[in-house]
Amino acid sequence: VRNLFSKMGCQGLETENSYLNQSKRIYGFLYHYLGEEQADFHKSFDIPFQFIADEFELQQALFEM
């Protein structure tokens, strides 16, 4: 999931050494693009992105948008 977000332009994930700080960066990235109400995915933002991270075809579809 971190690699996927790095590909999408979420910066600083590789320099963070704690999962909490990485999660904060990802949330900030999503917040910037989706807004407060949509950014947290009901506290489960990683689940849909885990599916994308595991499927090359889904990644291709995401990056073609």
Side-chain angles (χ1 to χ4, degrees), residues 9-22:
C10 184
Q11 299 178 354
L13 293 175
E14 64 283 341
T15 60
E16 292 292 350
N17 55 3
S18 78
Y19 293 127
L20 178 61
N21 288 338
Q22 290 172 343

Side-chain angles (χ1 to χ4, degrees), residues 24-47:
K24 287 179 182 180
R25 281 195 183 268
I26 291 171
Y27 174 77
F29 182 80
L30 291 170
Y31 181 92
H32 175 76
Y33 288 100
L34 301 176
E36 184 175 0
E37 287 188 27
Q38 295 180 332
D40 71 359
F41 292 84
H42 301 287
K43 308 293 185 214
S44 300
F45 76 83
D46 61 320
I47 293 172

Side-chain angles (χ1 to χ4, degrees), residues 2 4 6-8 11 14-15 21-23 26-27 30 33 35-36 39-40 46 48 51 54 58 60 62 64-65:
R2 290 187 307 269
L4 178 64
S6 290
K7 287 180 185 178
M8 291 190 295
Q11 299 178 354
E14 64 283 341
T15 60
N21 288 338
Q22 290 172 343
S23 292
I26 291 171
Y27 174 77
L30 291 170
Y33 288 100
E36 184 175 0
D40 71 359
D46 61 320
F51 285 109
D54 289 340
L58 292 175
Q60 286 181 308
L62 176 66
E64 287 178 1
M65 298 178 103

Side-chain angles (χ1 to χ4, degrees), residues 48-62:
F49 292 104
Q50 285 180 13
F51 285 109
I52 296 169
D54 289 340
E55 294 290 334
F56 182 71
E57 293 83 15
L58 292 175
Q59 290 177 36
Q60 286 181 308
L62 176 66

